DNA sequence: GCATTAGTTGCACGATTGTGCAAATATACA
DNA sequence: TGTATATTTGCACAATCGTGCAACTAATGC
C-alpha cells in the first residue's frame, strides 16, 4: 500500500462543494472582499454599498456565505453584523492545500520545510 | 491609512470565481478527488470510472477543471491524460489563505511565525 | 398604540448549468 | 482505404441560480 488512505478521506472531506459554490459568484466574492477590506463587521446595509444590487439580494448572499462557513452573523438590535470567520476560513484553505500537497507521494510540490 | 491596500488587490485577484465555480460541483470534485487518489494522470475513460455518468459529461467536467487551472491535459495519441497541477493549485490555496490572513491588521488568526 | 428602520422571505422571471444522446473529430491499426 | 477506439461538440431538456419587487417580521422611537 503505497498511497496513504488517510489523505483521501481528508481531501474528500475538505472538498466541500457548498463552500466553493458560495465563492463561485462574483457578487458574493465582491461582498467577501469588501468585508475583508473594511476590516470590520458590517451590517447588511453597509455591505450593500459594495455593489449596486438590491438589499434583499445582499441579504441572501450574506446568508449563503454564512451557511458556507465563511461568515458569521451577530444580531445587534434590529441590525445584523456580518464578519469573516478568519481562523476557520484560513485553516480550511491551509488544510486543503496541505491535503492536496500531501496526497500524492511523488508530488512535485514536495516541500523542503516541515509540516507547517 | 491603517489598512494596507496591497492586500486588497491581492485578495481580489486571488478570489477567482472561475476556480470556485469549477470546484462547486460534486461531480467535478469527485473527479478531482479520484485523480488525487489515483496519484497519476488519467485518461477520460479512466476518470469516468469514478462515477456513473456519461463519458461526454466527464470530458466536459475535466475541461472545466482544466480551464480553471486545476488540471492540465496532455494529449497522447488518441487519448488525453488529465493530471492535477499540484504546484499551482497548492500555491494558489496557500496564497489565498495568506492574503485572507494578512488582510486585516487586527486579525485573530495572527500567526506567530513570519510571513512564510 | 402607530410609524420608521433593518433584515428576511415569497414569488416570478431570465440566465446559467449539468446531463444524456447523437454526431463529429481525431488518432491508431489492419 | 476502412474500421475501431478516444475524445469532443451540438442539441435539447430539466434543474438550479441570481435578481428585483413586494410583503412580511423584528426592533426602535414617537
Amino acid at each position: 500500500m503505497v498511497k496513504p488512505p488517510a489523505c483521501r478521506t481528508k481531501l474528500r472531506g475538505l472538498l466541500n462543494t457548498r463552500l466553493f459554490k458560495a465563492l463561485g459568484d462574483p457578487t458574493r466574492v465582491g461582498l467577501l472582499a469588501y468585508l475583508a477590506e473594511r476590516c470590520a463587521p458590517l451590517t447588511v446595509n453597509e455591505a450593500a454599498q459594495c455593489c449596486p444590487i438590491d438589499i434583499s439580494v445582499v441579504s441572501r448572499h450574506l446568508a449563503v456565505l454564512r451557511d458556507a462557513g465563511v461568515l458569521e452573523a451577530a444580531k445587534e438590535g434590529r441590525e445584523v453584523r456580518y464578519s469573516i470567520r478568519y481562523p476557520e476560513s484560513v485553516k480550511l484553505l491551509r488544510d486543503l492545500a496541505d491535503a492536496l500537497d500531501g496526497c500524492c507521494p511523488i508530488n512535485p510540490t514536495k516541500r523542503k520545510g516541515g509540516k507547517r
Side-chain angles (χ1 to χ4, degrees), chain A residues 5-106:
Chain A
C7 79
R8 305 186 188 179
T9 56
K10 187 163 60 170
L11 187 60
R12 292 247 183 206
L14 289 170
L15 284 173
N16 184 10
T17 55
R18 190 170 52 169
L19 169 67
F20 297 122
K21 249 192 235 283
L23 297 178
D25 179 72
T27 307
R28 274 195 291 269
V29 298
L31 282 165
L32 181 60
Y34 189 65
L35 272 164
E37 291 162 3
R38 293 287 300 269
C39 286
L42 298 184
T43 66
V44 179
N45 261 298
E46 291 170 340
Q49 295 174 353
C50 90
C51 35
I53 56 177
D54 197 87
I55 310 275
S56 67
V57 179
V58 175
S59 173
R60 258 185 275 253
H61 280 317
L62 292 174
V64 169
L65 290 169
R66 167 175 49 82
D67 294 342
V70 184
L71 303 183
E72 64 184 348
K75 184 153 192 173
E76 299 180 2
R78 59 181 160 186
E79 55 193 18
V80 179
R81 306 202 90 93
Y82 284 91
S83 57
I84 299 178
R85 298 179 71 208
Y86 281 105
E88 296 83 359
S89 304
V90 171
K91 182 180 189 306
L92 199 146
L93 289 171
R94 294 225 169 93
D95 287 349
L96 185 55
D98 290 341
L100 196 62
D101 197 13
C103 187
C104 187
I106 45 171

